[in-house]
Amino acid sequence: MKLRKIVCPFLCLLLWGCSQKEIAQNSNPQQEVGKRQQQLAVEDAYVKSVQYPETSYPKMNKRIKELIHSYESSFIKQAVKMKETRKPEFNVSYESYVKDNRYLSVKLLFYEVLYQKNETVETMVYDTKQNTFLTIEDFLSEDALTQLSADVIQYFQKHAPKACDRDAFRTHSAALMENYAHFVLKKDAMVFYFPPHTLFDTTATYECPYEKLKGKTALSSETIPTVVPYEDILNEPVKNIDPQKPMVALTFDDGPSKRYTAAILDALKQYHGSATFFVLGSNAANAPNLLQRMVLEGNEIGNHTFSHKQLTTLSKANIEEEIAATQESIYGITRTYPNVIRPPYGSKNDTVMQCAQGKRIVTWSLDTRDWKDRNTKIIVERVLKQVKDGDIILMHDLYDTSAQAAIILIPKLQEKGFQLVTVSELYTYHPDKVRRS
């Protein structure tokens, strides 16, 4: 098998000079590169939540969008034919990494629920200097692959010995390039993904530090930046809430958004109002300053799970993982744990309630449908026409139209006599008037 060679970094400098720009990196260690794009839909035939990175490289963006479109089109064709009461679900989440300020890696995780659940991993590695996609053959020789295969076999035999005693495991762990085609380059390791029904029935992951392949690959470990935790505990300011006056809770899902959340916080601060922001755990580290600001200015942060999957389709262990991972992600930034949880799509059952472990499950009573209309005027009119004392109002800090609607609504709701409080404050001061879906 012929091995394509990567030009060494020193020679690259000679060929391209010093004009190669630094790749803009994010603070999120699992979403190091790219601007996060999100799509949300609750259709008659299905629900979907799609997240993906938009990079500075058109080829990478094109491939990402083509992959998502291909999977989604196939999913919709099947979803519209289903007759079951449970809605099919299409969910895409991602991880992105940059290595040596040159290689961009993206992992897309496709999670589909039709008649049964299915997870698929797609990966791509892009060389920003050669403007081309790379395969495992560009990084590992056949000798290195032989060692990698041996390490994989040893690792899984140690951790899942019974599952390794079958032909499929032996076939798909062998030293063949196609078996190791799904991978990403992190700063300290190559991470390999094995699709369902190859090594095992579900997706398997193996992380190989570059030191293990020393002398067999040109890649080496980089220093991983560490996030300095806050030393001070963030405390909410004292508020003057009148239990005798009407109040509503504005809530914003799926953020934080670097583009729009700050504008909403500005308006809340200007008019001395508060809101609850139901944050995705996978997004939290993208804008830690916004989460810190939420707490410092008297707003509330809620748990919206880690990857926006419909919790009623998951096992108890997976539900607990979605919730716990988000709790820890938010605590690491704000030094506070959320006390309220909003399940994606408001989907809940007895198992979800059990997994909440004493935290309040919160849905809503007034749906602005801002994700669907994307029209500031319609959103504002819908709220002002329907709002009542004790309402929990559902919005999303993902869209410009939603942010503009919130900026208009905040003073107008106060003019109508409503105090703008957090969900927890609404339950504390108006427990008998809280309106729920």
Side-chain angles (χ1 to χ4, degrees):
M1 189 177 295
K2 187 176 180 181
L3 178 69
R4 300 206 304 272
K5 300 292 184 181
I6 294 295
V7 181
C8 74
F10 177 73
L11 184 54
C12 289
L13 288 175
L14 294 178
L15 292 175
W16 282 282
C18 299
S19 61
Q20 177 74 10
K21 64 180 179 181
E22 291 286 319
I23 298 173
Q25 296 188 45
N26 302 324
S27 58
N28 191 331
Q30 289 189 310
Q31 296 179 354
E32 287 184 336
V33 66
K35 293 180 180 178
R36 174 172 48 89
Q37 305 297 313
Q38 290 182 242
Q39 300 170 2
L40 176 69
V42 183
E43 305 293 352
D44 292 337
Y46 63 92
V47 296
K48 82 167 183 177
S49 174
V50 176
Q51 298 183 57
Y52 63 92
E54 183 180 88
T55 73
S56 300
Y57 300 90
K59 282 187 180 180
M60 175 71 93
N61 296 337
K62 182 181 178 183
R63 179 168 291 191
I64 290 171
K65 290 179 180 179
E66 286 176 347
L67 270 172
I68 293 174
H69 177 73
S70 174
Y71 274 85
E72 185 173 359
S73 297
S74 175
F75 166 83
I76 291 174
K77 286 180 182 178
Q78 299 174 73
V80 295
K81 298 176 183 177
M82 286 186 64
K83 305 293 184 182
E84 297 188 4
T85 55
R86 182 186 69 189
K87 281 191 176 184
E89 176 182 3
F90 182 72
N91 182 291
V92 183
S93 56
Y94 77 94
E95 295 174 13
S96 62
Y97 304 97
V98 57
K99 172 76 177 128
D100 296 333
N101 195 45
R102 173 175 179 177
Y103 305 115
L104 302 187
S105 297
V106 172
K107 168 198 170 186
L108 296 175
L109 176 61
F110 294 87
Y111 174 80
E112 299 178 4
V113 181
L114 288 158
Y115 293 102
Q116 59 185 10
K117 290 181 286 187
N118 183 53
E119 281 193 350
T120 308
V121 171
E122 296 282 358
T123 62
M124 58 198 80
V125 178
Y126 186 73
D127 185 341
T128 63
K129 291 187 177 179
Q130 293 188 344
N131 295 312
T132 187
F133 290 96
L134 304 175
T135 69
I136 192 62
E137 295 172 275
D138 294 305
F139 298 101
L140 296 183
S141 65
E142 292 188 7
D143 183 40
L145 189 65
T146 299
Q147 179 182 322
L148 174 64
S149 171
D151 290 341
V152 167
I153 292 169
Q154 182 181 31
Y155 174 83
F156 287 115
Q157 284 180 339
K158 178 180 178 181
H159 291 86
K162 293 182 180 179
C164 297
D165 189 23
R166 59 180 192 173
D167 291 340
F169 177 84
R170 287 184 282 271
T171 298
H172 294 285
S173 61
L176 300 172
M177 292 291 181
E178 57 264 31
N179 285 341
Y180 297 85
H182 299 279
F183 71 100
V184 295
L185 303 180
K186 296 173 69 173
K187 285 182 168 55
D188 59 342
M190 301 181 79
V191 184
F192 295 90
Y193 304 95
F194 301 91
H197 311 299
T198 54
L199 296 189
F200 310 112
D201 292 335
T202 57
T203 301
T205 304
Y206 177 71
E207 192 161 320
C208 181
Y210 297 121
E211 283 73 12
K212 273 199 168 188
L213 298 169
K214 195 171 184 178
K216 294 183 171 63
T217 179
L219 299 171
S220 59
S221 185
E222 294 180 74
T223 301
I224 301 175
T226 56
V227 178
V228 180
Y230 270 138
E231 296 180 358
D232 299 325
I233 297 175
L234 303 177
N235 296 309
E236 286 191 21
V238 177
K239 301 180 185 177
N240 295 315
I241 298 175
D242 188 343
Q244 305 306 315
K245 291 183 178 180
M247 58 187 74
V248 295
L250 284 170
T251 65
F252 299 89
D253 286 10
D254 297 347
S257 164
K258 291 181 180 179
R259 299 179 183 179
Y260 309 121
T261 305
I264 296 170
L265 288 171
D266 288 343
L268 288 166
K269 183 178 181 180
Q270 179 181 354
Y271 294 99
H272 308 289
S274 300
T276 299
F277 293 82
F278 286 97
V279 169
L280 287 174
S282 60
N283 291 348
N286 287 325
N289 59 313
L290 290 176
L291 268 68
Q292 294 152 10
R293 184 181 170 190
M294 289 172 191
V295 178
L296 285 170
E297 295 179 1
N299 300 288
E300 179 177 32
I301 298 176
N303 184 323
H304 199 40
T305 74
F306 197 82
S307 57
H308 207 279
K309 291 175 182 172
Q310 194 170 200
L311 295 185
T312 51
T313 68
L314 302 179
S315 67
K316 186 173 186 291
N318 289 149
I319 296 171
E320 290 173 341
E321 183 180 1
E322 284 280 330
I323 293 173
T326 305
Q327 292 289 103
E328 294 303 325
S329 180
I330 293 169
Y331 179 81
I333 295 168
T334 66
R335 289 297 181 265
T336 60
Y337 284 110
N339 292 313
V340 289
I341 298 172
R342 173 169 285 166
Y345 314 108
S347 182
K348 59 184 178 178
N349 56 19
D350 289 342
T351 306
V352 174
M353 300 299 287
Q354 292 170 13
C355 294
Q357 297 180 340
K359 298 171 188 64
R360 191 184 299 278
I361 295 286
V362 176
T363 52
W364 56 86
S365 57
L366 199 168
D367 185 355
T368 64
R369 297 181 67 80
D370 58 337
W371 61 269
K372 186 175 183 67
D373 293 314
R374 307 283 186 92
N375 184 302
T376 297
K377 183 180 178 181
I378 290 175
I379 297 166
V380 170
E381 290 178 349
R382 180 173 291 141
V383 172
L384 295 179
K385 182 178 180 180
Q386 299 179 24
V387 66
K388 293 181 177 64
D389 184 19
D391 265 329
I392 298 175
I393 303 169
L394 172 63
M395 301 185 74
H396 299 79
D397 49 337
L398 300 179
Y399 316 108
D400 177 60
T401 49
S402 298
Q404 293 303 317
I407 291 168
I408 296 170
L409 281 169
I410 288 167
K412 284 190 174 293
L413 287 169
Q414 290 181 334
E415 289 170 10
K416 289 174 72 71
F418 294 108
Q419 299 173 93
L420 301 183
V421 299
T422 68
V423 165
S424 292
E425 290 165 347
L426 187 62
Y427 275 95
T428 297
Y429 294 103
H430 269 192
D432 298 330
K433 293 186 178 181
V434 177
R435 292 165 52 81
R436 312 172 184 82
S437 59

